[in-house]
């Protein structure tokens, strides 16, 4: 019948100009905006048509956005799945329609979909390692501060799940630390501030805040200052993303350490697409390397931060 066998990944026909989809999760923070700009700039350089959608924070809308791209007959879809499970139907619908999917920055539940069978590859950071590196810094540099509040990213997203997993495992292995509370601030600044305020009131003895991204770390800094505490001194503040604002906060002594998670996916996304179009074998995971910023290098690295 000519239909796709279950394990067949849709091919990408060789063309000199493509129409590609990019299904973004939301645009509520500088990281997301930088990622979108990077994708739009690269598509522009290549002269490709980019069908861009913004799910405004809704996984259900992101599924609908992907389905609309399928209906528009795009050649390939770049997808940053907002949450690991709800986006599986979108990945499978694209496969069924014969449209290859490349996952950017966030992954889908590995028990429900496979790279090389259901989607081409996942391009992104090792979030477990990001959490582990933050924990390892804390184990070495805590100076006796061991009572932790954790501000988690978007519930059900792979960065939130894995940044927690990597951190908690390393902290538990080290021993001597207490995780007082762990709650989602949805990767958002104001939500992060509100959650930090509530948790600091509930746990006045907290002396470490680990935020899964800069937006929530900046929110936590506002909460600490509102409570008359000196961020980075009275309370250790740790973050992930490494945007300019956070690296400046390291220079200013308000954030103690931050692991980079670079949002500039454009070049690598389209380079991977070109390799796939040529029929090259693509690894199941095209891993991004993440820098590490602390007082020893923040000033020197500030100019390079996104
Ligand atoms: C990580 C990305 C996360 C960032 C947050 O790849 O999905 O989402 O760390 C962003 O800042 O909201």
């Amino acid at each position: 019948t000519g239909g796709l066998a279950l394990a067949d990944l849709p091919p990408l026909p060789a063309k000199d100009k493509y129409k590609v989809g990019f299904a973004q999760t939301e645009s509520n923070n500088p990281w997301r905006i930088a990622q979108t700009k990077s994708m739009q700039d690269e598509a522009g350089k290549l002269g490709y048509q980019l069908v861009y959608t913004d799910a405004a924070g809704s996984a259900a809308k992101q599924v609908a956005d992907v389905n609309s791209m399928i209906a528009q007959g795009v050649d390939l879809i770049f997808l940053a799945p907002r949450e690991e499970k709800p986006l599986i139907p979108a990945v499978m619908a694209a496969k069924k329609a014969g449209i290859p999917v490349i996952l950017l920055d966030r992954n889908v539940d590995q028990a429900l979909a496979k790279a090389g069978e259901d989607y081409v590859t996942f391009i992104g950071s090792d979030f477990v390692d990001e959490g582990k590196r933050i924990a390892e810094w804390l184990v070495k540099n805590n100076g006796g501060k061991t009572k932790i509040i954790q501000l988690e990213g978007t519930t059900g997203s792979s960065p939130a799940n894995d940044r927690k997993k990597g951190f908690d495992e390393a902290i538990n292995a080290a021993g001597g630390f207490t995780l007082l509370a762990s709650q989602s601030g949805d990767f958002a600044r104001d939500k992060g501030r509100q959650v930090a305020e509530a948790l600091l009131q509930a746990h006045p003895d907290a002396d470490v805040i680990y935020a899964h991204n800069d937006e929530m770390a900046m929110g936590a800094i506002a909460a600490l200052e509102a409570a008359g505490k000196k961020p980075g001194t009275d309370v250790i503040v740790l973050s992930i993303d490494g945007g300019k604002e956070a690296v400046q906060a390291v220079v200013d002594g308000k954030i103690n350490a931050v692991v980079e998670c670079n949002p500039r996916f454009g070049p690598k996304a389209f380079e991977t697409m070109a390799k796939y179009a040529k029929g090259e074998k693509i690894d199941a995971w095209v891993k991004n390397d993440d820098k590490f910023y602390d007082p020893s290098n923040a000033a020197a690295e500030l100019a390079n931060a996104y």
Side-chain angles (χ1 to χ4, degrees):
T1 58
L4 281 169
L6 205 57
D8 285 0
L9 207 52
L12 182 62
K15 284 183 180 176
D16 55 3
K17 296 292 174 206
Y18 287 101
K19 177 173 162 184
V20 299
F22 173 43
Q24 178 58 285
T25 62
E26 58 241 286
S27 301
N28 67 340
N29 81 42
W31 194 98
R32 290 275 147 214
I33 291 163
Q35 182 187 42
T36 296
K37 184 176 180 324
S38 171
M39 292 297 285
Q40 290 173 330
D41 288 354
E42 198 63 22
K45 261 189 233 162
L46 293 163
Y48 293 1
Q49 185 188 348
L50 187 71
V51 177
Y52 170 74
T53 58
D54 179 335
S58 155
K61 182 180 180 304
Q62 196 173 29
V63 173
D65 290 343
V66 170
N67 287 329
S68 85
M69 291 174 180
I70 292 168
Q72 293 176 61
V74 297
D75 296 303
L76 175 139
I77 293 171
F78 289 110
L79 169 64
R82 186 169 195 276
E83 295 144 48
E84 288 188 347
K85 290 185 170 56
L87 270 298
I88 293 289
V91 170
M92 297 314 185
K95 173 178 176 178
K96 194 159 176 284
I99 298 172
V101 169
I102 290 179
L103 299 183
L104 297 183
D105 122 53
R106 293 190 185 177
N107 213 335
V108 291
D109 186 303
Q110 294 299 288
L112 301 174
K114 286 264 169 302
E117 278 182 38
D118 303 309
Y119 57 92
V120 178
T121 185
F122 162 60
I123 304 176
S125 294
D126 181 340
F127 301 127
V128 173
D129 191 49
E130 290 175 340
K132 183 165 172 276
R133 289 167 78 184
I134 283 287
E136 286 168 347
W137 185 94
L138 181 62
V139 170
K140 272 193 223 117
N141 302 280
N142 63 81
K145 292 185 168 58
T146 62
K147 297 188 185 61
I148 304 163
I149 283 174
Q150 183 169 172
L151 301 176
E152 301 176 12
T154 298
T155 303
S157 70
S158 58
N161 291 341
D162 292 350
R163 286 170 181 169
K164 178 168 184 56
K165 182 176 184 312
F167 179 85
D168 288 0
E169 281 173 355
I171 284 297
N172 294 337
F177 291 85
T178 308
L179 184 55
L180 296 168
S182 188
Q183 198 177 319
S184 177
D186 203 23
F187 283 132
R189 185 172 302 221
D190 203 48
K191 186 91 168 67
R193 184 187 53 75
Q194 288 165 23
V195 171
E197 254 168 29
L199 294 181
L200 285 166
Q201 274 156 28
H203 303 281
D205 55 336
D207 50 20
V208 179
I209 292 183
Y210 163 44
H212 286 187
N213 82 329
D214 295 348
E215 287 301 290
M216 296 190 295
M218 299 316 292
I221 285 171
L224 285 165
E225 290 175 335
K229 297 190 179 203
K230 281 176 70 62
T233 308
D234 299 334
V235 175
I236 289 175
V237 178
L238 302 167
S239 183
I240 298 175
D241 274 348
K244 269 196 185 359
E245 191 178 10
V247 178
Q248 181 62 56
V250 175
V251 172
D252 299 341
K254 293 189 174 184
I255 290 180
N256 301 81
V258 53
V259 174
E260 181 202 30
C261 180
N262 198 306
R264 294 187 182 125
F265 280 81
K268 201 180 276 186
F270 285 95
E271 177 198 330
T272 304
M273 173 181 172
K275 285 179 178 171
Y276 187 62
K278 275 190 245 151
E280 286 181 32
K281 175 92 183 71
I282 309 295
D283 292 342
W285 179 0
V286 177
K287 197 181 289 186
N288 290 348
D289 296 325
D290 298 325
K291 293 193 184 107
F292 191 96
Y293 303 111
D294 69 9
S296 71
N297 70 342
E301 288 290 328
L302 184 58
N304 309 328
Y306 76 89

